[in-house]
Every structure is written in C-alpha cells, then in structure tokens.
Amino acid sequence: MAELFGALGRGSRKACVFAASAVMAGTALVVSAPTASAASCGQVGVDRQPGQGTVTASALARRSGPFTSCTALGQVSKGTKINYYCFEISTAVNGNKLWTYGEVAGTGQKGWFASAYLDDNGASLGC
C-alpha cells in the first residue's frame, strides 16, 4: 500500500483507501500517477488550501511554472512566508518532485516554488 500511495503522490489518501478496498474485494485496479506533462510554464494554480510555510533556502526563485526551466519572476529570501494554494508533480529539485503554487505573504506576488526549499515540504493538496 505504501508503494501505491507513493505512486499517487501527496493528497491522494482517498484514492489509497479506495485502492485498498478494491484489492481486499479481489477487484482488479489500474492506477495512473500524475505526470509532469499536465503542468506548464504560465500555469496558474487554484487556492485549494489554507496554510503557510517558510522558505529555508538563502534565496528561492518564484517561477512562472513548476519547472526549473520556467521564467524566474523574482526571488524570496530565507524566512519569507509563503501562503500555499496547491501543488504539482514536476521537475525534481534536490530529489523532490513537488512544486507549490502560492503567494508571497503580504505582497500579492504569486508563483511556483520548489517545495524542497519550504520548511514543511509545501502544499498538501494537488492543483
């Protein structure tokens, strides 16, 4: 079951419960994990969750999309608070494929942040 949860990504607990029920009932189940191709530069996330985290890197780029190749819209410093909206699975940064869409607290500046550099690994609900 841990492997299934890992394949589905964060925020997929209901899917895992459904999968476990199907397995126990002897039903075949085909599961497809989210892919990076669903996201693009310029993509805007939706505000799906209340929550806030803190930047842990000395400088973290705020990007136009959840890829290291997307345009950097600016940088935020260590200790900056980010209001979380949602996450996508995309390009790995330090082995972490999660990217959080959010807003720099108190500024209205929105963008994508590599979750590897957020103190609690970023948003917990998918976009």
Side-chain angles (χ1 to χ4, degrees), residues 37-60:
S37 63
S40 64
C41 294
Q43 175 181 335
V44 176
V46 292
D47 190 354
R48 294 195 54 190
Q49 86 176 68
Q52 187 179 70
T54 304
V55 174
T56 60
S58 58
L60 178 60

Side-chain angles (χ1 to χ4, degrees), residues 64-123:
S64 64
F67 297 94
T68 54
S69 61
C70 293
T71 303
L73 305 171
Q75 286 191 340
V76 293
S77 303
K78 185 174 186 172
T80 300
K81 299 290 185 188
I82 306 296
N83 296 326
Y84 298 155
Y85 285 22
C86 59
F87 78 89
E88 283 285 348
I89 298 172
S90 184
T91 308
V93 174
N94 278 354
N96 185 334
K97 292 184 176 186
L98 301 178
W99 285 75
T100 293
Y101 184 78
E103 176 183 345
V104 180
T107 69
Q109 297 175 337
K110 297 176 184 174
W112 290 93
F113 303 89
S115 296
Y117 298 113
L118 297 170
D119 68 336
D120 57 359
N121 207 35

